[in-house]
Amino acid sequence: NSENEKALAKNAAALAKSSSSLAGSSEMFNVTDDEDKNNLTKSVSKFVSDYNNTVSSLMKSDSETALKKGASMVTSTQAFSNALGRIGITIGKDNKLSVDETALKNADTGSIKSLFSGNYSYASKVSRKAEDISTAADTLSKSTYNNSGNLSYYNKVLANSLFNESV
């Protein structure tokens, strides 16, 4: 269903944005007061929410490519489960994340930074996978047949451009 794929593309794009925002910001991890800690906690909680929305959307996807990328993302998350647990983030049986905000606020900032900051961090890995999921879902949402069994508008444009006809 193209609506499911559109939702997945949107959720995965939001996850890519929130995770790359964390991965690309070293300043966010220079915590000097409660306001800084609250902002960091909000950013990590946003990441978790976007991650969970993406996992939920993956469950409804028909995109083999998106599902493979999603499985890879979940496997990466499981590989980081001990480190995530140390900062108050746990993985449920449904592969969704839960945040204990008190534990996250009290966690060592260096531990949070090592998970979420930098090109080789957990957040960076999730960001790349989320971008791939979004691209795969977006591609499938534009390249399917519609409810009446006809080619979607996108495929008509593509097919007609090959034959130089107008839609």
Side-chain angles (χ1 to χ4, degrees), residues 76-148:
S76 289
T77 299
Q78 290 167 344
F80 282 91
S81 63
N82 288 336
L84 289 165
R86 283 193 290 278
I87 66 165
I89 299 174
T90 55
I91 306 168
K93 289 181 177 163
D94 58 358
N95 291 315
K96 292 184 182 176
L97 302 177
S98 300
V99 180
D100 177 338
E101 288 202 6
T102 303
L104 179 59
K105 284 181 183 176
N106 293 327
D108 173 57
T109 305
S111 296
I112 300 170
K113 183 176 182 175
S114 69
L115 271 168
F116 290 101
S117 180
N119 288 334
Y120 302 102
S121 66
Y122 164 68
S124 182
K125 290 176 191 219
V126 169
S127 178
R128 287 190 296 275
K129 292 181 190 319
E131 287 171 9
D132 291 343
I133 292 165
S134 181
T135 299
D138 190 50
T139 300
L140 185 62
S141 76
K142 293 177 180 171
S143 62
T144 56
Y145 288 88
N146 62 24
N147 290 339
S148 62

